[in-house]
C-alpha cells in the first residue's frame, strides 16, 4: 500500500479547536454521511478558520480517520469501565448487549458508524477502511475473550455469530423498529451464550 501525504499518521494536537472540529465532524458525518459533508461545512459549523483546520488535519481523510479513532476510543473506554464494574464475563456480555440496545433506541440512530464508513470507503487499503477494520478486530476479540471467560465451547465462532447478530440488529434498528431489534438481539445472544 502506498502512503499518501494525507494518509500518514499525524500526531494529534490537543486543543479546543481540534475537539470542536472532531465533535462537529462526528455529528455531521454520522447524521448525513461522510462523503456528503465537505470540509468547508465542518470548518464553518465548528467556527474555526481554514488554517486552524489544516493545522490539525492535512485533509478530509485525516479528519475522517480521527473521527473513527475517536469513536473507537470512546467505545473502548465505555467497555473497559463496564468491565471494571462487572464481576463475570456473562455480566459483561449482558452489558454489551444492553449498550448496543440503548444505542439502537436512541434518537437520531443511523446504524453503526463503522459500517457506514466502510460502505462509503469500500477500498480495503484506504486509511478509513483500515480504521474500521481495526475497531472491528478489537470488538471481535473482546467478544471472543468474553465468551472464552464464560466457558463457551467455541468462543471464536460465538464471537463471529454475535458480531453478525449485532450488525443485523443495528441495520434492523435503523430501518425498522429499534425496540423489536433490541429484544431480538438480547434473545439471540442469550441463546448463543448458553449454547453448550
Amino acid at each position: 500500500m502506498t502512503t499518501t501525504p494525507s494518509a500518514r499518521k499525524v500526531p494529534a494536537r490537543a486543543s479546543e479547536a481540534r475537539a470542536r472540529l472532531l465533535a462537529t465532524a462526528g455529528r455531521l458525518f454520522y447524521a448525513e454521511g461522510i462523503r456528503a459533508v465537505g470540509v468547508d461545512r465542518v470548518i464553518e459549523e465548528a467556527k474555526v478558520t481554514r488554517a486552524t483546520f489544516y493545522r490539525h488535519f492535512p485533509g478530509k481523510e485525516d479528519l475522517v480517520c480521527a473521527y473513527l479513532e475517536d469513536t473507537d476510543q470512546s467505545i473502548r473506554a465505555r467497555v473497559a469501565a463496564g468491565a471494571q464494574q462487572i464481576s463475570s464475563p456473562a455480566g459483561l456480555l449482558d452489558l454489551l448487549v444492553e449498550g448496543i440496545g440503548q444505542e439502537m433506541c436512541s434518537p437520531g440512530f443511523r446504524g453503526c458508524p463503522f459500517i457506514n464508513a466502510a460502505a462509503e470507503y469500500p477500498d480495503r487499503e484506504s486509511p478509513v477502511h483500515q480504521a474500521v477494520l481495526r475497531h472491528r478486530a478489537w470488538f471481535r476479540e473482546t467478544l471472543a475473550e468474553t465468551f472464552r471467560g464464560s466457558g463457551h465451547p467455541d468462543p471464536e465462532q460465538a464471537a463471529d455469530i454475535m458480531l453478525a447478530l449485532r450488525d443485523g440488529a443495528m441495520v434492523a434498528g435503523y430501518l425498522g423498529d429499534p425496540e423489536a431489534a433490541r429484544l431480538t438481539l438480547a434473545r439471540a445472544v442469550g441463546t448463543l451464550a448458553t449454547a453448550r
Side-chain angles (χ1 to χ4, degrees):
M1 171 177 78
T2 314
T3 303
T4 61
S6 67
R8 277 188 244 123
K9 193 74 169 162
V10 176
R13 297 180 189 105
S15 78
E16 186 180 317
R18 185 178 192 281
R20 273 200 322 274
L21 283 162
L22 271 176
T24 302
R27 176 177 52 79
L28 293 172
F29 290 163
Y30 186 71
E32 299 177 24
I34 295 168
R35 294 200 186 270
V37 176
V39 166
D40 288 342
R41 177 139 176 241
V42 174
I43 289 170
E44 180 184 331
E45 292 200 23
K47 297 183 181 357
V48 300
T49 65
R50 181 172 293 284
T52 299
F53 174 84
Y54 285 109
R55 187 169 44 251
H56 293 289
F57 305 103
K60 182 177 178 182
E61 189 173 81
D62 301 281
L63 175 63
V64 174
C65 287
Y67 149 67
L68 291 172
E69 289 162 6
D70 191 58
T71 304
D72 172 66
Q73 290 304 311
S74 175
I75 292 169
R76 289 181 193 228
R78 288 195 312 266
V79 169
Q84 288 181 340
Q85 296 176 9
I86 301 296
S87 61
S88 71
L92 179 58
L93 192 58
D94 290 342
L95 188 67
L96 289 170
V97 170
E98 181 182 323
I100 293 165
Q102 286 175 355
E103 184 179 352
M104 289 188 310
C105 292
S106 65
F109 177 71
R110 271 198 76 242
C112 171
F114 296 96
I115 293 173
N116 295 349
E120 292 197 58
Y121 289 83
D123 178 4
R124 290 182 67 87
E125 298 301 316
S126 82
V128 172
H129 202 97
Q130 288 297 307
V132 170
L133 294 178
R134 281 191 300 277
H135 170 76
R136 196 163 178 85
W138 165 80
F139 189 60
R140 187 205 171 276
E141 182 52 33
T142 298
L143 294 173
E145 285 176 20
T146 303
F147 282 112
R148 202 174 294 119
S150 66
H152 195 281
D154 192 345
E156 300 299 322
Q157 184 181 38
D160 290 337
I161 292 170
M162 178 156 172
L163 197 55
L165 289 169
R166 177 244 180 224
D167 292 349
M170 287 274 192
V171 172
Y174 175 55
L175 296 177
D177 180 352
E179 181 61 24
R182 181 190 72 75
L183 292 171
T184 300
L185 176 65
R187 281 194 298 269
V189 173
T191 302
L192 175 63
T194 57
R196 297 287 174 219

